[in-house]
Amino acid sequence: MKVHKPIILCGYTSSGKTTIGSLLAKKLKLDFYDTDQMLTEQNHMSIPEIFSKGGEELFRELERRIISQVCLLGPSVISTGGGTLASEKNALLLSRHGLILYIKRPFEACYQSLALHPQRPLFQKHTKEQLAEIYEKRTETYRRYASLTIENNSTPEAAVDFACRFLEL
């Protein structure tokens, strides 16, 4: 199978994008990038520190810069942050330059994983009910831009196998 542009994984926070993305990259023999990791490394701050310094506005501005960079990477696998596609500018840019795959994991499973990291800004700022509303809203956006929805309700390897079957078509 020959990949000609970035494969971009989107999905809610704690949906498994990084785990599935790194496994997919290994299987396809491609480089793997995580936009949140790139953002923290390039800015020498953790995500909570960025939010503390300039709130979500600063975080989204820095994230847009990273999105511009990953669009130039060529064949690779890229895991995006859960809210990356909430910006239509990001979503359009990524869809023009890459193939977007939506990693869908049930909200309750995402929430349980997110609860293990209470320092994350999304978890600190919202109630469970608010997080469920954000999940539903973002789901609509992910579906709009994704070429494929991958159900992550089994193992990461099963999700990777499903993605590979799609990519071979």
Side-chain angles (χ1 to χ4, degrees):
M1 106 189 48
K2 183 72 175 154
V3 176
H4 302 285
K5 56 186 176 180
I7 297 168
I8 299 155
L9 305 183
C10 71
Y12 195 70
T13 304
S14 299
S15 62
K17 300 177 299 287
T18 300
T19 300
I20 291 167
S22 62
L23 291 171
L24 181 61
K26 283 179 189 163
K27 189 158 191 169
L28 298 176
K29 296 179 175 66
L30 296 172
D31 289 330
F32 173 72
Y33 301 93
D34 181 297
T35 60
D36 284 345
Q37 182 180 355
M38 291 172 69
L39 192 149
T40 59
E41 287 174 0
Q42 289 183 23
N43 293 283
H44 309 287
M45 288 186 281
S46 68
I47 291 174
E49 288 172 331
I50 293 168
F51 269 80
S52 176
K53 182 178 179 183
E56 187 169 359
E57 185 177 329
L58 175 61
F59 177 79
R60 296 298 173 199
E61 178 186 324
L62 298 173
E63 182 179 60
R64 274 190 290 280
R65 293 179 192 168
I66 298 298
I67 296 309
S68 295
Q69 291 173 26
V70 298
C71 287
L72 304 174
L73 291 174
S76 54
V77 177
I78 300 162
S79 172
T80 62
T84 301
L85 269 66
S87 159
E88 188 170 3
K89 185 176 181 179
N90 286 346
L92 290 171
L93 191 61
L94 289 169
S95 65
R96 273 196 295 266
H97 293 279
L99 176 69
I100 299 177
L101 307 181
Y102 166 35
I103 307 300
K104 183 175 189 284
R105 186 176 185 208
F107 170 74
E108 196 58 42
C110 291
Y111 181 79
Q112 293 302 321
S113 293
L114 185 58
L116 297 174
H117 305 281
Q119 75 281 8
R120 295 180 79 167
L122 189 66
F123 190 78
Q124 289 182 340
K125 292 177 61 178
H126 302 287
T127 65
K128 184 176 182 179
E129 293 74 25
Q130 291 170 322
L131 291 170
E133 288 174 22
I134 293 168
Y135 176 92
E136 292 303 322
K137 185 177 180 183
R138 288 182 180 177
T139 294
E140 294 171 22
T141 303
Y142 303 144
R143 286 187 177 140
R144 184 173 337 131
Y145 290 99
S147 297
L148 176 70
T149 296
I150 300 170
E151 299 284 342
N152 183 17
N153 51 16
S154 178
T155 65
E157 292 79 12
V160 168
D161 289 343
F162 185 79
C164 287
R165 285 194 301 276
F166 172 77
L167 293 169
E168 288 177 342
L169 296 176

